[in-house]
Amino acid sequence: MYAELRETATELAGVLWREHTVYRERGGGVVIRGEHVERWISLAPTGGRNQARLRAGRLLDGGTTAPARSEIVVDLSTGTAELAAVCRRLLADVAAADAPAPSRARTGRARTGRPARAERPARAGRPRRAGRPPKSARPRPAGRRHTSLGSWVVVLCVAGIVGLWAYSQFHVYGF
């Protein structure tokens, strides 16, 4: 079965991509990697005769593979052109799942999907979310006031200084 999968994968890779790598995976299947398109396709044996599980996913930074986004069981007796059409459909599903929201522009962005620092709006110029007043204008719930640790330290220092002054006054004048 592996020899048949390997042969089918090699033919399929030649139809799909000019640049590709075909290798065996641990489970006994075959993986086709397209580094230039950042996608991978896997053909793995199934329990059925002359069938294979076809999965597609994307390649992450550093060359690792993301989990499969879509999969289907195909009959290996169909021609390479039909298998290539199925693979293209799976790859289109992967690309659609990776596509950003329509409101975002893809120009000037790094691989992270975030805009470059120069393109980001300044924080002060951002509009506030509708229906929510700023934090300083919100009423504080009753009974939820807390004194911070820094405030307690200041209170204790002042009390210590007052205590030392009182001790020195009583000690010197003998009250």
Side-chain angles (χ1 to χ4, degrees), residues 138-148 152:
R138 285 188 229 158
R140 198 172 238 185
R144 294 218 36 211
R145 290 200 174 184
H146 295 286
T147 307
S148 67
W152 282 112

Side-chain angles (χ1 to χ4, degrees), residues 18-174:
R18 286 174 287 151
E19 301 172 28
H20 58 270
T21 305
V22 179
Y23 63 92
R24 183 177 181 174
E25 65 181 344
R26 284 180 279 195
V30 181
V31 177
I32 307 166
R33 288 175 68 107
E35 298 286 341
H36 62 292
V37 291
E38 297 179 343
R39 302 285 183 260
W40 61 267
I41 298 172
S42 168
L43 282 93
T46 62
R49 181 176 168 87
N50 209 19
Q51 290 183 340
R53 182 175 60 165
L54 189 65
R55 301 182 310 154
R58 63 187 184 99
L59 296 176
L60 301 174
D61 292 338
T64 59
T65 57
R69 293 286 179 122
S70 56
E71 69 179 68
I72 191 169
V73 175
V74 294
D75 189 15
L76 292 178
S77 62
T78 61
T80 307
E82 290 84 6
L83 286 176
V86 171
C87 287
R88 286 187 184 108
R89 189 176 66 222
L90 289 178
L91 291 169
D93 290 345
V94 170
D98 289 342
S103 63
R104 291 184 172 175
R106 297 220 15 122
T107 58
R109 292 182 180 232
R111 282 181 162 261
T112 61
R114 294 179 58 194
R117 185 173 292 265
E119 295 177 12
R120 290 186 213 155
R123 288 189 184 264
R126 288 185 184 173
R128 297 206 178 274
R129 288 196 288 191
R132 201 163 184 192
K135 271 191 168 183
S136 59
R138 285 188 229 158
R140 198 172 238 185
R144 294 218 36 211
R145 290 200 174 184
H146 295 286
T147 307
S148 67
L149 179 64
S151 297
W152 282 112
V153 168
V154 169
V155 168
L156 290 175
C157 287
V158 169
I161 292 171
V162 169
L164 284 174
W165 176 81
Y167 176 77
S168 68
Q169 293 298 317
F170 290 120
H171 183 66
V172 170
Y173 296 112

